């Protein structure tokens, strides 16, 4: 019984120790960037509010069709094989 109570008491100390250890984490080093973004009035890009996206629907449809059905590859070049002499006599 005493052993169980002492183990329970020690495990509580270990949990507290693990919550307050000093080490380098994946978020270390982002403090300056975080603080500058926190104090920025409007951190978004001004172009993010542009709702008028310029584009042509027909051109976009043609690009989608070309992506869906790509053109066939060109045929391989013709290879000419000459068999026999070159016509020059020694």
């Amino acid at each position: 019984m005493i052993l169980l109570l002492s183990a329970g008491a020690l495990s509580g100390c270990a949990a507290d120790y693990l919550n307050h250890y000093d080490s380098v984490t994946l978020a270390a080093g982002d403090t300056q960037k975080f603080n500058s973004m926190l104090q920025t009035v409007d951190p978004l890009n001004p172009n993010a509010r542009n709702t008028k996206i310029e584009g042509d629907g027909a051109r976009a449809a043609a690009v989608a069709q070309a992506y869906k059905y790509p053109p066939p590859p060109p045929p391989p070049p013709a290879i000419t094989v000459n068999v026999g002499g070159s016509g020059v006599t020694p």
Side-chain angles (χ1 to χ4, degrees), residues 29-51:
D30 293 338
T31 307
Q32 292 175 347
K33 185 176 181 182
F34 176 77
N35 288 340
S36 66
M37 292 299 289
L38 185 66
Q39 295 176 7
T40 303
V41 176
D42 190 9
L44 295 177
N45 186 351
N47 293 328
R49 290 196 175 106
N50 183 12
T51 58

Side-chain angles (χ1 to χ4, degrees), residues 71-86:
I79 299 174
T80 305
V81 178
N82 294 329
V83 180
S86 62

